Amino acid sequence: MVDVSLFPVYNVVIVVRRGDWRMKRVAVLVVVLVTVLALLAGCGPAVVATVNGTQITRGQLDEQVDAAKKMLEQRGVDFSSKEGEQMLGMLRQQALEDLINQELLLQEAARQGLKPTPQKVAEEIKSLRSQYGLDDEGKFKQFLAANGLSEPRLNDLMEKNLAIRALQEKVLAGVKPATGEQARQYYDQHKDQYTEPVRWQVRHILITLPPGEDVQKSQVEAKAEALSILNRLKEGADFAALAREKSKDTGTKDKGGLFTFAPGEVVPEFEQAVKNLKPGEITPEPVKTTYGYHIIKLEKIIPENVQPFEQVEKEIINKLTEQAQQKKMQEYLDGLRQQAKIDNKLVTPTK
């Protein structure tokens, strides 16, 4: 099995944001080596699908799913959770659809005679070895052995990968790059995507509630400590020094309580208190939140920033061009699927 840490998996991308994750499909643009390996490395008689009579086995599907699962776990996805189990089921269905698409592309590439020359295959393998630090013959042989490969097998995999790539390049040859005018129109219609919201840079000192069963007493003690610190600040004490000494916020105390946030990134009570301040001012009273009592100093307001069109024009052109390529490739695949005889045995029958 190829070490998936060395090869990207084209069909799945994970987005991690504040502890939640979601999965989306990426259209077929480049079929990479690991997915071709999964297509060919079936290890069991159970058939999960057929494409124009060619079988896709459960072993091939497991290979594909395991490769994607390993990559996603490296990015923080927990498949032992309830959400992870649901995602794994979705991943398995998607992986089979991708294997079907790959087989269709391989068959069409063969029909059109898009077979790379031995020289091209050798050049690609040489480039691959250089990219992953396998120029040394000893390291290369260790890599092959660790992944259960031989040089002839690797050549075969690369040949098929290049055949599919050639087919894709042929299909996408008629897709023209997006123009500057199209990019400008997109920018004007989606300016929020290129706008950084207003942000506030603050220092704060957090006093948490002391442990104990008497919550009211704990609140009184915490507020009293916060008021004592506030009085010291009014007498001229250095805010950053007191934050390092007194704050219970381990994430900011070593920075003198300093951090920057945008709207919606902190609890409402904290954000509202900051909005009531001018740069250089300190909250007149400790601010109570679910975390405890805060003493806050507003350092500065960072105004909203809109990236100029000239700065993002190339990025937008590339984005629009890629979207056009994805659409074209998906339409081509849809056409192949309509003409093919496909039996997906994992699809749940409609009752």
Side-chain angles (χ1 to χ4, degrees), residues 150-161:
S150 63
E151 289 194 52
R153 179 72 185 283
L154 182 60
N155 286 345
D156 184 56
L157 295 174
M158 183 60 75
E159 180 181 303
K160 290 175 171 59
N161 182 42

Side-chain angles (χ1 to χ4, degrees), residues 41-60:
C43 54
V47 176
V48 292
T50 59
V51 181
N52 294 323
T54 299
Q55 295 181 345
I56 297 175
T57 68
R58 189 172 301 279
Q60 292 170 269

Side-chain angles (χ1 to χ4, degrees), residues 285-308:
E285 295 290 333
V287 178
K288 186 177 184 300
T289 73
T290 54
Y291 296 98
Y293 287 91
H294 306 258
I295 303 165
I296 309 167
K297 178 182 180 181
L298 176 60
E299 292 288 344
K300 63 180 178 180
I301 300 173
I302 304 171
E304 178 182 274
N305 176 49
V306 180
Q307 293 177 279

Side-chain angles (χ1 to χ4, degrees), residues 54-219:
T54 299
Q55 295 181 345
I56 297 175
T57 68
R58 189 172 301 279
Q60 292 170 269
L61 177 59
D62 290 343
E63 185 89 15
Q64 179 88 336
V65 172
D66 289 346
K69 183 181 176 184
K70 180 178 179 180
M71 182 193 73
L72 297 177
E73 285 176 333
Q74 291 173 346
R75 299 189 182 188
V77 177
D78 179 13
F79 284 100
S80 64
S81 66
K82 183 178 180 180
E83 293 84 358
E85 291 177 359
Q86 293 174 347
M87 184 180 182
L88 188 59
M90 294 168 55
L91 182 62
R92 193 168 184 81
Q93 288 285 354
Q94 178 185 310
L96 182 54
E97 287 299 314
D98 290 328
L99 285 171
I100 290 170
N101 287 339
Q102 291 163 31
E103 178 59 32
L104 284 169
L105 291 172
L106 280 171
Q107 291 179 10
E108 183 61 18
R111 188 187 71 80
Q112 295 190 28
L114 299 175
K115 183 177 181 179
T117 65
Q119 181 182 1
K120 178 64 175 176
V121 173
E123 289 174 354
E124 286 294 317
I125 291 178
K126 182 179 179 180
S127 175
L128 187 72
R129 290 178 60 174
S130 178
Q131 181 180 355
Y132 293 108
L134 299 172
D135 290 323
D136 178 78
E137 195 64 27
K139 289 183 179 180
F140 181 54
K141 290 187 181 300
Q142 288 178 359
F143 164 78
L144 293 176
N147 291 285
L149 291 171
S150 63
E151 289 194 52
R153 179 72 185 283
L154 182 60
N155 286 345
D156 184 56
L157 295 174
M158 183 60 75
E159 180 181 303
K160 290 175 171 59
N161 182 42
L162 291 174
I164 294 178
R165 188 191 303 176
L167 175 62
Q168 292 172 332
E169 290 174 353
K170 186 176 180 180
V171 172
L172 299 176
V175 178
K176 297 180 180 180
T179 65
E181 182 179 351
Q182 290 171 322
R184 181 76 210 199
Q185 183 178 10
Y186 182 90
Y187 175 82
D188 290 339
Q189 293 175 350
H190 302 85
K191 194 166 289 186
D192 59 309
Q193 296 180 12
Y194 305 98
T195 301
E196 294 180 352
V198 62
R199 290 170 294 156
W200 298 273
Q201 186 180 78
V202 300
R203 292 186 187 275
H204 87 125
I205 299 171
L206 171 64
I207 303 301
T208 55
L209 302 185
E213 296 182 0
D214 191 335
V215 176
Q216 186 174 0
K217 181 180 178 182
S218 295
Q219 289 180 343

Side-chain angles (χ1 to χ4, degrees), residues 254-284:
D254 290 341
K255 303 172 186 176
L258 186 69
F259 75 101
T260 302
F261 70 94
E265 292 183 348
V266 296
V267 291
E269 302 93 331
F270 191 104
E271 182 174 325
Q272 186 57 52
V274 171
K275 288 180 178 179
N276 293 335
L277 298 175
K278 295 178 181 179
E281 291 184 343
I282 297 174
T283 48

